[in-house]
Amino acid sequence: MSKYLYILDAGHGGTYPEGHKDAGEYVTAPSKRSPVFDGVIEGFERGFRYNEGEWNRKSLQHILEECESRGIDAIDLNEGTWKDIPLHTRCRKANKINVERRSIFISIHSNAAGNGRTFNNAKGNGVYIYLKSSKTTKVFAQCLAAHYIDKFEGITKWRGIKERNFAVLRETNCPAVLLETGFFTNAQEVQKMMTHSWITRLAEVVCDAIEDFEKSL
Ligand SMILES: [Zn+2]
């Protein structure tokens, strides 16, 4: 049993599931998907685009499984839904859980840059914390940074720990971080992001960081 419960939050909605009248349709804002691949990139179909909400869910699932195999207590805040849960609902749910058992909130995202219609060169991984975050949040973010740097060396850039006034960081009562792993607006990077190796690396970063953090307590 871990000292904290790790609340995993898949940022943004996914796609309507099989059987739904809008099956395959994307649920959240258009800014949360990549430009359309024009078919010249190997391995991708013409018209393909990366959906952040889907990737977040897949990553969350891998992190959950890795946590389970290491004896780290973790849950999916949104219980596998494909819906785009409002930010205040996410925070309220997390705060309720944190009353029962002390928790750490981890929001899982991938990043975007530019106008959303064309690919560009921005790349890398980053950890976001609130402007006035607690010492515990800072320690956990440092643990994540160390493992991001180590695991993604030679694969992508490390962009640092950044302080932001994001709702899920501000309105959660427990230590909270938001992870941006890769840029889906970078045609080269997004291809790596879809590989098993990238997603496995992310799960290892999170779980190695949790283990270091728990040892430091
Ligand atoms: Zn996002």
Side-chain angles (χ1 to χ4, degrees), residues 15 24 26 29-38 44-52 54-55 115-119 184 190 194:
T15 47
Y26 201 52
S31 61
K32 304 303 176 192
R33 44 187 171 179
S34 78
V36 175
F37 280 86
D38 60 10
F44 291 88
E45 288 170 23
R46 189 171 294 272
F48 171 82
R49 63 198 324 189
Y50 167 97
N51 288 329
E52 187 192 344
E54 281 178 31
W55 181 90
N115 64 12
R117 289 186 297 278
T118 51
F119 288 107
F184 58 80
V190 74
M194 305 198 46

Side-chain angles (χ1 to χ4, degrees), residues 6 104 106 136-144 177 209-210 213:
Y6 296 84
I104 300 227
I106 306 173
T136 312
T137 300
K138 285 178 181 152
V139 171
F140 184 51
Q142 289 293 348
C143 294
L144 285 160
V177 295
I210 289 173
F213 169 73

Side-chain angles (χ1 to χ4, degrees), residues 55 58-64 66-67 70 108 125 143-158 179-182 189 191-210:
W55 181 90
K58 197 169 168 190
S59 297
L60 183 145
Q61 214 47 50
H62 274 74
I63 296 168
L64 261 187
E66 187 65 23
C67 284
R70 298 194 194 193
I108 298 149
N125 300 328
C143 294
L144 285 160
H147 290 286
Y148 261 123
I149 291 165
D150 182 46
K151 284 263 185 321
F152 283 89
E153 201 195 335
I155 296 167
T156 192
K157 184 175 150 184
W158 171 243
L179 312 181
E180 293 279 12
T181 311
E189 184 142 291
Q191 291 178 78
K192 294 185 201 167
M193 286 158 69
M194 305 198 46
T195 61
H196 186 71
S197 132
W198 180 284
I199 290 173
T200 303
R201 253 174 242 277
L202 170 59
E204 284 169 359
V205 165
V206 173
C207 291
D208 288 353
I210 289 173

Side-chain angles (χ1 to χ4, degrees), residues 62-131:
H62 274 74
I63 296 168
L64 261 187
E65 282 163 21
E66 187 65 23
C67 284
E68 198 178 327
S69 78
R70 298 194 194 193
I72 297 165
D73 301 325
I75 54 159
D76 173 4
L77 178 70
N78 307 309
E79 297 156 86
T81 182
W82 38 270
K83 282 183 189 158
D84 198 15
I85 306 291
L87 297 175
H88 70 267
T89 308
R90 294 171 192 253
C91 297
R92 205 174 53 224
K93 277 177 88 173
N95 290 341
K96 220 165 143 187
I97 295 165
N98 183 49
V99 170
E100 301 297 322
R101 180 166 172 202
R102 66 174 181 168
S103 303
I104 300 227
F105 183 90
I106 306 173
S107 196
I108 298 149
H109 293 253
S110 47
N111 220 336
N115 64 12
R117 289 186 297 278
T118 51
F119 288 107
N120 58 65
N121 293 328
K123 64 174 185 177
N125 300 328
V127 172
Y128 293 80
I129 58 174
Y130 184 48
L131 308 168

